[in-house]
Amino acid sequence: MAAGDRKTNRWLKAALLAGAAMCAIVSASALPAQAQSPDIGAMEPKLPEDAKLLLAANELVYNNDSDKVIARGAVQINYGGYKLVARQVEYDQKTGRLRAVGNIELIEPTGNRVYGDEMDLSDDFANGFINALRIETTDLTKLAATSGERVNGEELILNHAVYTACTPCATNPTHRSLWEIKAERVVQNGRTHTIRLEKARFEMFGKPIAYIPVLEMPDYTVKRKTGFLFPKFGYAQKLGLGITTPYYFAIAPDMDATFSPTVLTRQGFLAEVEFRKRFHNGLVTLRAAGIDQWNPNAFDPNTSDREEDGFRGMVASEGQFKINPRWAFGWDVMLQGDNNFSRTYELDGLKDRIHTNQGYLTGLGRRNSFDLRAFYFDVQDADPDSKLERQQAIAQTLDHEYIVPQSVLGGELSITTNITNVQRDLADSYGLGDLNPNNNRFSGLEGGMTRLTSELEWKRQFIVPGGLVLTPLLAARGDLYRLDMIDPGEAYGGTYTTDDHATRTMLTAGLEARYPILATTENSTHLFEPIAQIYARPDEDFAGGLPNEDSQSFVFDATNIFERDKFSGFDRVEGGTRANLGMRYTGTFDNGFRLRSIVGQSFHLGGVNSFASNDLVNAGANSGLETDASDYVGMAGIDLPNGLSIASSARLDKDDLSLRRSDTSLRFDGARFETEITYTRIAAQPSYGLAKNASEIQTAAAFKFRDYWSVFGSLTYDINNQNLTRNGVGFSYDDRDTVFSIVYEQTRDKSNSTANDWSIGARLMFRTLGDISVGDTTLTGFE
């Protein structure tokens, strides 16, 4: 029935609000979880002003003699999103006490549920108790206590409480969590915003493993508090056992810091500090770390780790700012005293072999994009002379792309602009030895270069009767160079311009024709799409005679056969008239099978073939495009409904169909077993510097042998050199509440870029409590 009487409304609302107030005990149940809404702990829940109250009960009694209102039998009260169920609810208007008994269940708007056998509260919610308390939160944590009580309006006390997290219980109510916390008393103080556990113990597998007489921590309303964090552990071959005890400083609402001292049994005391400052539109992070090495002799001879026998350290900073929803700027920089400190001591986020220092300004509009960046590449290796780092360019780039919003002659017009400036301290060159003793390769020349590139492209699509799709294309490009690089000299077999400036232009007229053919059967659909392209253009200016900084990586395969310019960057531009022919196919079957493939060949029809023109790195050599008729390229894949998928791409010699390059991968995703195997084979490319065939297998697999238990491993094997370059194995338990994993990984690094040949990592995580790590548990080959 709907209650319309003012007095009835008063006690019914009191019933709901009292029950909702008991949800404040849920906040105490959060214990370390700290995942509840800040409003839950309020003395009076926030309810909508226009909320309507509904009551259902088998019997409603007004006792005027005792001044009590009693609802009996399957009582249900709904008000403002709160729902209260009990066998009986009684309100004493003289004493202002509300009492509910019998299978009490309270559901609050957030979804948290509170259960009990008996509840008694004052109508001002300052005092009260509930017996046989059980709480289930929406984040799948549970708490039970023999009783809970509110005292003086500021303390919530749970007696003989048990807390745990149980995500699997959502689908398997019989599941029992591996761990739980038990305490004789849990006291939340609303004035000091603390939770105190008295005579607490932590249990795993039903056995106590830790006893804590008294533990006090901030409650859920305190988002940050100065104090110690969970310790971290690590072990590495040359560093020994490491124990880190982080200490957190809550400096201000917008500032905090973490000091992380680490004791390493073989190298001494490593200090690390991180400071964070938040602004209204961004965040700045400052980091510093240092160590005075105890035992440099533990590292390999002739390495920077061995020679740095004093203090080693680094400073780093990262910033991210939003100017407005479309524009942002930031930076990520690191400066270290030697070239391998951060990698050797495995500093989080700074241990990659090449750390890219950069600053950037980016903008993104509906039809245009802007990206301005400056780069410095910090090569972390064990070379005391830092030769590789000195060979890296200091670079600045600007990229802008604009698509004209209005149609131009019925088609789309786009403008692409790139500005690149590089400066290098030391030439990056290598010889080919007996393969070509008089023709070295130069990945970068000593000195500086600036290039401005701008390109206009227009294209329009026509669909002619019969379904033929025609796309004509026109493009015009211009390049302006400032050159201040040292001539490669006689070691370079090609022709290099000695001018201090140069200009380059390229005009292109192209046409693409596609004829999609759709074939359907009773249980499948097939799409065949023959494709033909032709691009007419003049020869490439200064082919091979200009620096090549961003077009060095080039692989001709099925993914780029239909590209207008197949070079990967702006420093090289494809010239001469060329045609591309091929076929795409996609097949879909009702039983879940999917097929896909691309095959094709490219033909140089006139002018100078850019891929046959020697440049500083000979990017087109042995690519399969250096002849008038290219090699054949193709890829094919099949996806099976049982989780098995196979994909392969290949390049076959145009004359004898011999295999020039192939990449084949097999992947299986099952309920208990998953694996991926990738085989790569590259035929010898003597003109490019690859003296002999190269073959490699990479594989990773994981097997779930019981619920939540898995074993996994990965390896990388160099077939030609018969060398296992990397391998690792591990096992884990993961039920989403408890995660335990241990990993062993070994790396055979011929470049000596890593100080440690092997490492062991372990992790133990309890959801809502914390995470303890020993080293890195990320195994190469697994995402």
Side-chain angles (χ1 to χ4, degrees):
M1 71 176 210
D5 180 78
R6 181 177 297 177
K7 182 183 291 186
T8 305
N9 268 342
R10 180 174 181 269
W11 79 261
L12 288 175
K13 291 178 182 179
L16 258 295
L17 294 177
M22 287 308 299
C23 279
I25 301 178
V26 177
S27 65
S29 77
L31 292 179
Q34 303 180 9
Q36 307 301 323
S37 165
D39 293 334
I40 295 176
M43 294 306 296
E44 182 170 324
K46 294 181 180 179
L47 298 172
E49 293 182 0
D50 59 348
K52 296 182 179 180
L53 186 145
L54 299 175
L55 166 68
N58 294 337
E59 181 182 6
L60 184 62
V61 177
Y62 296 88
N63 191 326
N64 293 325
D65 295 334
S66 61
D67 209 12
K68 291 182 179 180
V69 184
I70 304 171
R72 296 193 183 102
V75 181
Q76 298 183 36
I77 306 173
N78 295 350
Y79 183 57
Y82 291 88
K83 300 177 182 179
L84 177 66
V85 177
R87 285 207 308 265
Q88 178 173 306
V89 177
E90 176 183 304
Y91 180 63
D92 190 329
Q93 299 181 78
K94 291 181 179 179
T95 63
R97 305 288 298 188
L98 181 139
R99 184 171 178 268
V101 295
N103 299 328
I104 300 170
E105 179 181 0
L106 175 72
I107 305 175
E108 63 162 352
T110 62
N112 293 330
R113 295 172 180 263
V114 180
Y115 303 91
D117 290 341
E118 181 180 4
M119 180 176 69
D120 191 321
L121 280 178
S122 60
D123 59 4
D124 63 357
F125 317 121
N127 300 281
F129 74 90
I130 184 169
N131 282 333
L133 173 68
R134 289 187 300 115
I135 300 171
E136 296 177 0
T137 67
T138 53
D139 66 347
L140 301 176
T141 62
K142 293 184 175 184
L143 182 138
T146 57
S147 64
E149 57 183 315
R150 182 194 294 275
V151 180
N152 299 325
E154 76 174 22
E155 280 194 342
L156 295 169
I157 302 173
L158 300 180
N159 299 306
H160 301 287
V162 180
Y163 168 83
T164 191
C166 192
T167 302
C169 294
T171 55
N172 180 14
T174 63
H175 179 83
R176 181 172 180 178
S177 180
L178 293 185
W179 61 269
E180 59 188 14
I181 296 176
K182 294 181 178 180
E184 285 198 11
R185 287 213 324 165
V186 179
V187 181
Q188 178 182 355
N189 190 304
R191 178 174 52 82
T192 61
H193 299 288
T194 58
I195 295 177
R196 187 174 73 253
L197 281 69
E198 300 176 0
K199 297 182 179 180
R201 64 181 184 272
F202 183 81
E203 296 185 356
M204 285 193 68
F205 302 102
K207 303 295 183 181
I209 62 172
Y211 174 76
I212 306 174
V214 177
L215 176 64
E216 188 168 276
M217 66 191 76
D219 67 12
Y220 69 94
T221 64
V222 180
K223 301 304 180 183
R224 305 180 310 149
K225 187 176 179 64
T226 298
F228 286 100
L229 305 179
F230 266 87
K232 300 179 181 179
F233 304 89
Y235 189 87
Q237 181 187 15
K238 308 294 177 63
L239 308 181
L241 175 65
I243 303 175
T244 305
T245 309
Y247 190 85
Y248 177 79
F249 295 90
I251 302 172
D254 59 346
M255 285 188 294
D256 59 13
T258 305
F259 176 61
S260 303
T262 301
V263 176
L264 298 164
T265 57
R266 300 199 69 182
Q267 296 300 336
F269 179 77
L270 173 69
E272 182 178 1
V273 63
E274 181 174 354
F275 170 81
R276 295 166 291 271
K277 165 70 174 176
R278 184 171 292 279
F279 300 85
H280 72 281
N281 63 339
L283 173 70
V284 171
T285 301
L286 300 175
R287 294 179 64 181
I291 188 173
D292 190 356
Q293 291 186 158
W294 282 357
N295 185 19
N297 292 332
F299 299 105
D300 295 336
N302 302 318
T303 64
S304 57
D305 298 296
R306 177 74 167 262
E307 294 184 3
E308 295 292 335
D309 58 354
F311 179 82
R312 304 179 68 182
M314 73 87 200
V315 292
S317 177
E318 187 173 353
Q320 299 174 1
F321 287 89
K322 282 278 190 181
I323 302 174
N324 56 43
R326 294 187 175 184
W327 285 87
F329 74 94
W331 64 85
D332 180 1
V333 296
M334 177 182 69
L335 177 65
Q336 49 186 355
D338 62 85
N339 63 337
N340 210 33
F341 169 72
S342 298
R343 183 170 172 84
T344 298
Y345 287 92
E346 300 180 343
L347 301 183
D348 289 341
L350 301 173
K351 58 186 178 182
D352 291 340
R353 185 172 184 268
I354 299 179
H355 181 81
T356 302
N357 296 275
Q358 63 174 309
Y360 62 88
L361 171 65
T362 62
L364 181 63
R366 292 183 178 179
R367 301 182 69 85
N368 65 87
S369 63
F370 177 92
D371 192 299
L372 175 65
R373 293 178 185 267
F375 297 94
Y376 177 82
F377 301 98
D378 190 340
V379 179
Q380 300 195 81
D381 59 16
D383 177 14
D385 297 326
S386 300
K387 181 180 179 181
L388 289 178
E389 183 169 326
R390 295 174 61 200
Q391 291 176 339
Q392 299 298 310
I394 301 174
Q396 300 85 38
T397 64
L398 184 150
D399 289 283
H400 181 259
E401 183 172 357
Y402 176 68
I403 301 175
V404 178
Q406 297 82 18
S407 172
V408 178
L409 299 178
E412 180 184 85
L413 178 65
S414 63
I415 305 171
T416 301
T417 302
N418 173 266
I419 301 176
T420 298
N421 180 77
V422 298
Q423 187 73 35
R424 184 176 283 102
D425 179 54
L426 188 65
D428 183 5
S429 64
Y430 57 94
L432 302 183
D434 295 337
L435 297 176
N436 197 336
N438 298 318
N439 195 355
N440 286 1
R441 296 288 174 258
F442 294 85
S443 299
L445 296 176
E446 181 181 342
M449 176 206 76
T450 303
R451 174 183 41 76
L452 167 63
T453 298
S454 186
E455 182 177 64
L456 282 79
E457 181 187 78
W458 174 90
K459 59 184 176 181
R460 181 179 179 182
Q461 187 178 93
F462 298 90
I463 301 178
V464 301
L468 180 65
V469 181
L470 297 176
T471 306
L473 176 146
L474 296 173
R477 167 174 165 167
D479 300 279
L480 178 63
Y481 279 88
R482 175 197 68 87
L483 300 172
D484 187 23
M485 288 185 165
I486 296 179
D487 191 301
E490 297 180 357
Y492 175 50
T495 302
Y496 182 81
T497 181
T498 57
D499 297 335
D500 58 2
H501 66 276
T503 59
R504 182 175 65 182
T505 60
M506 179 60 66
L507 299 175
T508 303
L511 178 66
E512 178 186 86
R514 295 184 291 114
Y515 191 69
I517 303 171
L518 181 64
T520 60
T521 67
E522 186 176 342
N523 55 13
S524 64
T525 301
H526 306 269
L527 178 63
F528 301 89
E529 192 175 29
I531 302 174
Q533 297 174 328
I534 186 169
Y535 296 108
R537 53 203 162 196
D539 298 339
E540 178 187 7
D541 295 333
F542 298 101
L546 295 171
N548 181 359
E549 296 284 345
D550 67 0
S551 300
Q552 299 182 11
S553 176
F554 178 71
V555 175
F556 175 49
D557 57 22
T559 62
N560 59 14
I561 184 174
F562 298 117
E563 295 289 334
R564 171 169 62 89
D565 189 341
K566 297 178 177 59
F567 284 112
S568 57
F570 290 96
D571 283 336
R572 291 296 306 272
V573 56
E574 188 175 339
T577 300
R578 180 172 292 277
N580 304 312
L581 299 176
M583 167 81 74
R584 287 196 188 107
Y585 164 75
T586 302
T588 305
F589 299 81
D590 293 346
N591 59 6
F593 280 79
R594 292 187 70 253
L595 301 174
R596 60 192 185 280
S597 66
I598 301 175
V599 294
Q601 189 177 17
S602 183
F603 300 89
H604 177 72
L605 303 180
V608 176
N609 187 344
S610 293
F611 301 102
S613 303
N614 193 19
D615 71 2
L616 291 169
V617 295
N618 223 359
N622 304 125
S623 65
L625 286 167
E626 69 274 16
T627 54
D628 289 344
S630 77
D631 290 343
Y632 300 98
V633 293
M635 64 81 61
I638 178 172
D639 301 317
L640 280 64
N642 63 357
L644 181 67
S645 61
I646 303 172
S648 181
S649 64
R651 175 164 65 91
L652 305 179
D653 188 274
K654 64 180 180 61
D655 296 321
D656 56 12
L657 299 182
S658 60
L659 189 64
R660 307 303 300 165
R661 182 187 180 101
S662 70
D663 295 275
T664 303
S665 64
L666 181 149
R667 183 175 182 86
F668 177 75
D669 291 295
R672 290 190 172 272
F673 179 70
E674 60 178 303
T675 186
E676 182 172 14
I677 301 173
T678 301
Y679 169 72
T680 301
R681 182 184 184 277
I682 304 174
Q685 296 177 314
S687 297
Y688 195 65
L690 183 63
K692 57 183 180 180
N693 296 343
S695 300
E696 183 180 80
I697 290 179
Q698 295 182 346
T699 181
F703 175 60
K704 186 177 180 180
F705 57 90
R706 287 187 61 185
D707 288 345
Y708 315 121
W709 290 93
S710 300
V711 61
F712 51 91
S714 72
L715 62 85
T716 301
Y717 184 72
D718 186 338
I719 297 176
N720 290 82
N721 296 320
Q722 298 182 350
N723 179 32
L724 189 64
T725 58
R726 185 184 295 269
N727 63 287
V729 65
F731 75 91
S732 69
Y733 173 90
D734 184 356
D735 66 5
R736 289 177 291 177
D737 294 317
T738 308
V739 176
F740 171 71
S741 60
I742 185 168
V743 170
Y744 170 83
E745 187 167 18
Q746 186 175 22
T747 303
R748 295 164 178 83
D749 187 359
K750 294 182 179 180
S751 67
N752 289 325
S753 64
T754 59
N756 303 292
D757 296 330
W758 56 266
S759 62
I760 296 176
R763 181 189 181 202
L764 181 60
M765 185 276 288
F766 303 106
R767 187 171 73 89
T768 75
L769 297 183
D771 196 337
I772 301 174
S773 297
V774 179
D776 188 1
T777 57
T778 303
L779 190 60
T780 301
F782 286 88
E783 297 182 356

